[in-house]
């Protein structure tokens, strides 16, 4: 059934736990962190110093401005204003090695392939010439079944594992 939320996909966990989980998927060769949905910049603040380069995309102008002020002295952090489905393609042009992705660009409520950029973000990442990226996607409990089925199909096609744990989709390259 389309339109039903799935609390069984995971409970809501604290941001500190999310940061710890993300770092578990950082391999030694991953020097780049890409986030969609900057919001207040909490995740960048928490784990950004573990990477040589950080990119984050925010669509809301006020949140973007606040993040720019917060990180103005951090030269390794590049903040982009706009639609993450568009901006992620620009970011990928700069990446020459596997990166860690944290995809969290969506509004509140149910997440579908038509109201969130997730499918276009994944298409861009999977089309990238570099292989071996690890992709974590927040808020699994808010995704509708059709979008989850599409995400599973995409990950299988591109040789990724697809696991849902602690409310986070974990797409890990089999490379």
């Amino acid at each position: 059934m389309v339109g039903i939320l799935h609390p069984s996909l995971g409970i809501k966990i604290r941001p500190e736990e999310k940061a710890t989980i993300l770092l578990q998927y950082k391999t030694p060769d991953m020097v780049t962190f890409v986030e969609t949905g900057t919001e207040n910049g909490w995740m960048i603040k928490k784990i950004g110093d573990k990477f040589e380069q950080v990119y984050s995309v925010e669509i809301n102008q006020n949140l973007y401005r606040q993040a720019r002020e917060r990180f103005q002295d951090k030269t390794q952090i590049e903040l982009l204003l706009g639609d993450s489905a568009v901006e992620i393609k620009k970011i990928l042009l700069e990446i020459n090695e596997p990166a860690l992705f944290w995809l969290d660009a969506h509004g509140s409520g149910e997440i579908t392939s038509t109201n969130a950029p997730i499918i276009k973000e994944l298409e861009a990442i999977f089309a990238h010439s570099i292989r071996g990226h690890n992709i974590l996607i927040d808020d699994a409990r808010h995704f509708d079944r059709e979008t989850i089925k599409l995400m599973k199909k995409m990950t299988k096609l591109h040789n990724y594992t697809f696991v849902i744990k602690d409310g986070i989709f974990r797409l890990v390259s089999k490379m």
Side-chain angles (χ1 to χ4, degrees):
M1 280 163 101
V2 175
I4 295 178
L5 301 181
H6 303 284
S8 63
L9 293 179
I11 58 170
K12 183 176 173 95
I13 62 173
R14 294 187 346 247
E16 294 83 9
E17 292 174 89
K18 291 178 184 183
T20 299
I21 290 167
L22 269 169
L23 290 176
Q24 291 171 358
Y25 289 85
K26 180 190 184 305
T27 63
D29 61 333
M30 287 183 178
V31 297
T32 303
F33 176 67
V34 180
E35 170 186 58
T36 62
T38 310
E39 197 177 28
N40 64 13
W42 190 92
M43 192 60 74
I44 297 170
K45 179 76 172 160
K46 190 70 176 168
I47 70 169
D49 64 345
K50 307 283 192 246
F51 297 87
E52 293 176 18
Q53 181 67 48
V54 174
Y55 297 93
S56 188
V57 182
E58 178 56 53
I59 198 165
N60 179 290
Q61 272 193 336
N62 291 331
L63 292 173
Y64 168 77
R65 274 192 228 112
Q66 290 171 15
R68 296 241 349 158
E69 288 176 26
R70 184 175 191 180
F71 300 113
Q72 64 186 349
D73 297 331
K74 302 285 186 179
T75 57
Q76 87 277 20
I77 298 172
E78 185 171 338
L79 301 170
L80 296 96
L81 174 64
D83 180 345
S84 60
V86 173
E87 298 302 319
I88 202 164
K89 292 176 185 175
K90 297 174 188 175
I91 294 168
L92 286 163
L93 292 173
E94 304 294 321
I95 296 175
N96 298 314
E97 66 279 316
L100 179 61
F101 288 83
W102 177 239
L103 305 181
D104 193 19
H106 58 80
S108 60
E110 183 181 50
I111 302 168
T112 69
S113 61
T114 57
N115 74 2
I118 190 64
I119 297 302
K120 290 184 179 179
E121 291 172 344
L122 289 174
E123 286 173 345
I125 296 166
F126 291 145
H128 192 229
S129 61
I130 303 298
R131 301 289 176 238
H133 302 300
N134 286 338
I135 308 161
L136 282 80
I137 306 166
D138 199 15
D139 300 314
R141 70 193 181 286
H142 292 299
F143 281 79
D144 74 322
R145 286 182 196 239
E146 292 305 313
T147 303
I148 295 169
K149 284 167 69 175
L150 184 54
M151 290 167 45
K152 281 183 178 179
K153 183 178 178 182
M154 292 172 73
T155 56
K156 184 176 182 180
L157 181 66
H158 293 282
N159 204 25
Y160 274 70
T161 61
F162 184 92
V163 175
I164 307 166
K165 185 177 177 191
D166 299 320
I168 298 171
F169 295 106
R170 302 159 190 229
L171 287 56
V172 177
S173 174
K174 294 180 184 176
M175 301 191 84

